[in-house]
Amino acid sequence: MKKLLTGNEAVARGAYESGVTLAAAYPGTPSTEILENVSKYKEIYSEWSPNEKVALEVAIGGSIAGARTLAAMKHVGINVAADPLFTFAYTGVNGGCIIISADDPGMHSSQNEQDNRYYAKAAKLAMLEPSDSQETKDFVKEGYRISEEYNIPVLLRLTTRICHSKGLVEESNRESVEIKQYEKNIPKYVATPANGRKLHIDLEDRLIKLEEYSNNTHLNTIEWNDKKIGVISSGVAYQYAKEVFGENASFLKLGFTFPLPKEKIKNFASEVEKLYVIEELEPFLETEIKAMGIKVIGKEYIPLTGELNPDIIRESLLNKKVEKINRNEEMIIGRPPTMCAGCPHRGLFYELSKKKNVVVTGDIGCYTLGSAPPLSTMDTCICMGSSISAGHGFNKACEVNGVDKKVVGVIGDSTFFHSGITGLIDIVYNKGNSVTIILDNRITGMTGHQENPGTGYTLMGEEAPQIDITKLCESIGVKDIKTVNPLDLSETKKAIEESLKLDVPSVIITKYPCVLKKSTQEEIEDYGLDRKACVVESTECRKCKMCLKSGCPAISFEQDKGSIIDENMCVGCDVCLQICPFDVIKKVGE
Amino acid sequence: MNKVKNVLLVGVGGQGIILASKILSAGLISAGYDVKMSEVHGMAQRGGSVTTQIRYGSKVYSPIIGKGQADVIVAFEQMEAARWIDYLRPEGKIIVNDYKIPSAPILIGEREYPKNILDDLKSKANVSLVKGFKLAKELGNVRTQNIIMIGALIEFIDIDGVEWNEILKENIKEKHVDLNIEALTMGKGLLD
Ligand code: SF4
Ligand code: SF4
């Protein structure tokens, strides 16, 4: 039966049909839904690992044991996993293994738009680039065959438009793949220098065989039409090119993009008059093809940055302007994402925003939105886990250079487990004194509420031990640890002030469940979650706009009426009520 | 059936646009079309601007379209209509929900919600206005706005042989199905 599936759902389906029995990931847009969908198949053990490196290592272990395995991550996640990745190509697989890199051209939800096709070349992995949902599923299945036949991990490179676009997919049954026998093989699996040298030579041999495969596989196909124009393309860029040129050009569509099918490319190039390489982001194909001595047109017209679309191709290569209606720019006001009404991070950021001479190093998560006005409480944000360590570096640099500044690092609970903990160990060990604030909202918020080691449940829905953040910090030697309710402003303020005075590393845990999270009965009781909405007594509002500094989207302001709280949005967190200097915000019905 | 048609649904996170797209896509598939659908995800869910693009025809390549290419836009909110109008083909149709959701700069008093959006749109495009909020409220649940809008859309694009009520049943929680069938029927009658 044909079903409308996203690329991410298609990966999950493909893994299921290929007989995969183990999958691991750390959530990250646009890859998150891959594991969420894999976990729906009972046949597959699936887990959220604390970070991408661990997820890949779990998949590697499973592969060595003989199972078909999968590790999924967003593009920047591959950076975290890069260490085992490179050696994995040397050792090769036992059970087939696919690693998914979900790149984000256009940065819909990322801090950069790196093109991870270079990872395949750098780490020497076989690479597949599907161009729609059906292909994604098919390529996963073919990927496991390649991985096992050529003894190599396969990088399946997706992009946001593949991950989150839906197309029709034909589903089939699960292959029954038996776990391969594991045999102890020290020269293959133990990458000491002596073994590694041999493994590298062996890997180069496998790559030569893979290039032969690349030249012959149906994943790389030529579609002959008019030979005046030839187009070489891969991934979703192929769909855009096809949309623009249709039958007016011949296509070499590349689905298997490392190693490249050099013979096929030469043959194709020799038959067409003008050759375009159409690819999103970097000139990955273009550089390789040019190095073969073939003349192509590419990045001089197709932009290096941002997400590609058919329009850009039409305008840049065909010089065709599309007739369109003009927007009236005055009528368009930005609609940036904001922290939700009643978000527990808001109270903390409100208090932090009032601190002068304090540098806030931030991290990746919902709370990154604390950098937006009116809170604007963040000085840096680099990558997962960097808040604590970059904060420590900032702090030390100030110290040695006699600059008087206090540093506060803010990090979410899930991010702390991901890679924040090592930074904190560094602070303790190297005698820093910056303040670390762990924003524990009891869930992984940004990516849409995934379980993590602090939540008490696994991806597969089983109960799990909850890692106690306080005890964890204690055990690595943090002497000053406070837990506060971030919606209680005076308590939060007091904790921040006390910690800033200390000369030793300190941790403040702001503990309160995410407003969007489905709460357990226990949480409802513990946190008093049954809150009534607030109202402004409009006749008494003094229009000082102080409450607007909370940045709560439920509060709006009108010149004649003063502040107004949208009763449907307000969750009664009381932060604005505590801020209002004139006590005119009240609970409904009080 | 050969020509690919482009539909854009635009609005604000939380307005039920993803569900509306799902229902529309399911209908188009049951009518025998090849369908591709693309949505913007991620941070947009936190009160940001949300769009989904639905393309259907006998064979669809790209999941997304460019400016000036949409045959129909359904705007669930006024300012979003103004934001996405340049995606409409000059001879296309935009169905606008007469509803305003202020964004963060408006909420904090930095900017004011723009006036005369509808007049501006009418001066340059073929606009149909739907009083989605008012009608949904009359139905007894403001959350049915999305289905009212979809009703208006499917009447306009006029596809044959789709059992919309069945599709609603498959995609909506049982206890809300009847209400949503009503909303869809109401939406269908709105454009003349
Ligand atoms: S803080 Fe109080 S007095 Fe000031 S604008 Fe808000 S509600 Fe009115
Ligand atoms: S109580 Fe105030 S700050 Fe909290 S959700 Fe309601 S309006 Fe927003």
Side-chain angles (χ1 to χ4, degrees):
Chain A
M1 202 188 82
K2 279 202 174 184
K3 269 201 188 154
L4 196 61
L5 299 185
T6 62
N8 283 348
E9 289 165 339
V11 171
R13 183 70 202 182
Y16 167 77
E17 289 179 11
S18 303
V20 167
T21 51
L22 178 149
Y26 182 80
T29 312
S31 69
T32 310
E33 301 81 5
I34 296 174
L35 260 272
E36 287 182 333
N37 283 288
V38 166
S39 73
K40 291 179 186 158
Y41 300 109
K42 298 180 299 298
E43 295 85 348
I44 307 177
Y45 165 79
S46 48
E47 69 165 46
W48 292 129
S49 308
N51 68 34
E52 296 83 357
K53 176 174 183 285
V54 175
L56 177 55
E57 287 158 349
V58 168
I60 294 174
S63 160
I64 294 174
R68 285 191 166 180
T69 66
L70 178 109
M73 53 206 73
K74 68 182 291 175
H75 60 335
V76 288
I78 295 270
N79 302 335
V80 180
D83 197 3
L85 189 74
F86 281 64
T87 305
F88 189 23
Y90 277 41
T91 65
V93 304
N94 185 23
C97 181
I98 291 183
I99 302 143
I100 296 167
S101 169
D103 296 8
D104 190 14
M107 292 180 277
H108 294 280
S109 187
S110 305
Q111 62 269 46
N112 71 31
E113 51 184 3
Q114 71 190 41
D115 187 333
N116 276 1
R117 293 179 296 173
Y118 289 111
Y119 265 113
K121 187 171 149 80
K124 299 177 186 288
L125 311 167
M127 175 163 59
L128 298 171
E129 285 188 79
S131 71
D132 63 14
S133 297
Q134 177 70 54
E135 275 188 9
T136 303
K137 197 202 80 172
D138 295 344
F139 282 24
V140 166
K141 293 171 93 170
E142 182 67 13
Y144 282 105
R145 275 187 284 274
I146 297 169
S147 178
E148 284 168 4
E149 192 178 331
Y150 295 89
N151 182 23
I152 198 156
V154 170
L155 185 77
L156 186 80
R157 193 255 190 175
L158 308 178
T159 53
T160 302
R161 287 297 165 190
I162 301 290
C163 294
H164 286 168
S165 295
K166 292 191 180 189
L168 288 169
V169 177
E170 184 81 52
E171 295 189 337
S172 40
N173 295 332
R174 180 170 164 94
E175 251 177 83
S176 66
V177 181
E178 262 175 52
I179 186 162
K180 290 200 170 163
Q181 190 151 357
Y182 166 73
E183 269 159 38
K184 189 164 177 159
N185 187 345
I186 292 175
K188 175 167 161 70
Y189 296 122
V190 183
T192 54
N195 293 335
R197 281 179 212 116
K198 291 194 200 101
L199 289 172
H200 188 184
I201 294 167
D202 177 57
L203 172 58
E204 296 301 335
D205 282 343
R206 286 181 272 148
L207 288 175
I208 291 169
K209 292 199 187 91
L210 268 167
E211 190 179 320
E212 212 177 291
Y213 166 84
S214 185
N215 278 312
N216 295 312
T217 175
H218 66 279
L219 303 184
N220 295 327
T221 48
I222 294 177
E223 201 185 310
W224 291 119
N225 295 311
D226 194 328
K227 291 189 175 176
K228 276 203 199 71
I229 296 175
V231 173
I232 302 181
S233 193
S234 69
V236 77
Y238 162 77
Q239 304 285 5
Y240 301 155
K242 186 77 192 169
E243 182 82 30
V244 173
F245 288 99
E247 317 272 276
N248 301 324
S250 294
F251 290 88
L252 171 53
K253 177 187 178 303
L254 300 176
F256 187 87
T257 45
F258 192 82
L260 277 176
K262 291 200 176 135
E263 272 315 303
K264 215 175 231 171
I265 291 170
K266 265 186 218 151
N267 293 343
F268 182 74
S270 68
E271 300 261 342
V272 295
E273 280 172 38
K274 200 186 226 174
L275 186 55
Y276 293 127
V277 175
I278 298 179
E279 57 192 325
E280 206 169 26
L281 298 181
E282 299 295 320
F284 177 80
L285 302 171
E286 186 180 329
T287 311
E288 296 287 315
I289 296 169
K290 278 183 175 161
M292 290 161 60
I294 296 170
K295 219 179 119 201
V296 298
I297 302 164
K299 288 294 161 188
E300 55 267 65
Y301 292 107
I302 306 284
L304 261 174
T305 57
E307 193 176 35
L308 193 61
N309 64 41
D311 234 16
I312 296 174
I313 300 174
R314 223 173 263 127
E315 280 186 22
S316 50
L317 294 182
L318 300 180
N319 212 357
K320 258 195 209 154
K321 280 258 179 278
V322 186
E323 211 194 316
K324 60 185 180 226
I325 300 167
N326 287 326
R327 316 199 300 185
N328 184 339
E329 297 301 327
E330 273 165 37
M331 299 205 161
I332 300 151
I333 296 169
R335 201 180 282 282
T338 56
M339 284 191 288
C340 308
C343 170
H345 303 329
R346 200 182 293 287
L348 168 77
F349 280 120
Y350 175 74
E351 282 307 325
L352 265 185
S353 70
K354 294 196 298 186
K355 288 270 155 289
K356 302 277 173 283
N357 210 30
V358 167
V359 168
V360 179
T361 51
D363 221 295
I364 311 280
C366 281
Y367 47 91
T368 316
L369 297 170
S371 62
L375 295 161
S376 307
T377 316
M378 207 164 284
D379 291 81
T380 66
C381 171
I382 302 157
C383 66
M384 292 284 286
S386 68
S387 56
I388 303 183
S389 35
H392 174 64
F394 195 106
N395 193 24
K396 285 287 175 185
C398 290
E399 223 175 84
V400 284
N401 292 294
V403 179
D404 174 33
K405 268 214 185 323
K406 267 295 207 176
V407 177
V408 173
V410 292
I411 188 164
D413 46 345
S414 186
T415 316
F416 181 69
F417 295 125
H418 176 281
S419 51
I421 176 93
T422 42
L424 190 57
I425 290 172
D426 188 37
I427 293 182
V428 174
Y429 174 60
N430 285 307
K431 303 185 193 113
N433 68 355
S434 49
V435 183
T436 299
I437 304 184
I438 302 170
L439 295 83
D440 182 5
N441 63 358
R442 319 301 301 139
I443 204 79
T444 314
M446 188 63 156
T447 42
H449 295 164
Q450 288 73 28
E451 305 296 345
N452 68 47
T455 65
Y457 289 91
T458 69
L459 168 60
M460 297 172 84
E462 284 167 11
E463 276 189 50
Q466 283 190 33
I467 309 292
D468 184 324
I469 298 179
T470 307
K471 286 199 184 131
L472 188 61
C473 294
E474 259 168 30
S475 72
I476 61 172
V478 180
K479 292 278 171 342
D480 190 85
I481 305 164
K482 308 185 238 322
T483 300
V484 299
N485 173 354
L487 297 181
D488 183 331
L489 296 185
S490 61
E491 186 184 327
T492 304
K493 182 175 177 203
K494 193 165 148 253
I496 296 171
E497 272 166 8
E498 278 176 18
S499 287
L500 284 172
K501 279 192 216 125
L502 296 173
D503 221 19
V504 293
S506 65
V507 167
I508 302 172
I509 302 166
T510 64
K511 196 165 173 178
Y512 201 89
C514 171
V515 271
L516 297 182
K517 179 177 177 277
K518 231 193 188 151
S519 299
T520 57
Q521 193 51 40
E522 211 185 320
E523 280 173 332
I524 293 173
E525 281 156 26
D526 284 5
Y527 297 98
L529 289 180
D530 188 19
R531 285 171 175 269
K532 273 200 262 154
C534 286
V535 283
V536 185
E537 301 199 5
S538 64
T539 48
E540 288 174 37
C541 174
R542 310 265 190 100
K543 301 180 184 169
C544 70
K545 296 191 182 175
M546 276 299 288
C547 55
L548 299 179
K549 296 220 163 87
S550 72
C552 177
I555 313 177
S556 57
F557 189 84
E558 279 177 30
Q559 238 359 292
D560 39 339
K561 292 190 200 132
S563 287
I564 303 154
I565 293 174
D566 180 337
E567 221 184 290
N568 294 318
M569 270 173 98
C570 173
V571 299
C573 76
D574 296 358
V575 163
C576 60
L577 182 146
Q578 296 168 67
I579 294 174
C580 175
F582 303 105
D583 289 331
V584 303
I585 301 181
K586 301 262 153 63
K587 295 301 261 186
V588 166
E590 276 173 24
Chain B
M1 173 142 165
N2 228 331
K3 174 125 179 35
V4 173
K5 291 265 184 201
N6 302 319
V7 179
L8 211 66
L9 307 187
V10 306
V12 179
Q15 285 196 291
I17 292 173
I18 306 283
L19 178 66
S21 318
K22 228 171 136 179
I23 289 166
L24 179 63
S25 305
L28 292 166
I29 291 169
S30 78
Y33 291 106
D34 184 20
V35 178
K36 278 192 180 166
M37 169 185 154
S38 191
E39 57 195 55
V40 172
H41 245 228
M43 293 214 262
Q45 284 171 327
R46 310 266 177 267
S49 155
V50 171
T51 53
T52 62
Q53 305 195 350
I54 294 153
R55 311 193 67 217
Y56 64 100
S58 51
K59 171 79 189 151
V60 180
Y61 289 104
S62 164
I64 56 169
I65 59 164
K67 291 179 179 166
Q69 311 262 304
D71 297 284
V72 194
I73 296 181
V74 182
F76 288 57
E77 198 272 349
Q78 284 193 27
M79 195 164 71
E80 294 312 306
R83 191 186 313 282
W84 293 93
I85 189 69
D86 53 349
Y87 274 71
L88 193 66
R89 277 197 304 134
E91 62 282 22
K93 169 83 148 185
I94 178 162
I95 304 171
V96 183
N97 185 10
D98 176 21
Y99 186 55
K100 299 177 185 174
I101 303 177
S103 66
I106 299 167
L107 289 174
I108 63 172
E110 231 173 51
R111 300 282 304 267
E112 253 180 73
Y113 195 96
K115 295 192 175 73
N116 310 325
I117 289 181
L118 296 173
D119 292 339
D120 182 68
L121 291 173
K122 280 180 189 154
S123 71
K124 48 188 156 198
N126 180 350
V127 182
S128 284
L129 202 62
V130 170
K131 293 198 180 328
F133 186 79
K134 191 171 148 264
L135 293 170
K137 215 166 173 183
E138 280 169 24
L139 271 183
N141 189 340
V142 292
R143 301 192 61 113
T144 57
Q145 273 179 92
N146 59 345
I147 303 302
I148 294 177
M149 296 304 291
I150 284 299
L153 170 72
I154 56 183
E155 188 66 9
F156 177 72
I157 56 178
D158 190 24
I159 13 176
D160 289 334
V162 181
E163 298 285 347
W164 290 105
N165 291 359
E166 291 306 310
I167 286 168
L168 288 177
K169 275 181 206 155
E170 279 159 27
N171 286 286
I172 285 172
K173 273 206 204 109
E174 214 187 306
K175 61 175 180 188
H176 300 304
V177 169
D178 288 340
L179 185 67
N180 280 287
I181 290 179
E182 243 185 282
L184 194 87
T185 315
M186 178 187 259
K188 278 186 182 177
L190 290 176
L191 307 191
D192 28 52

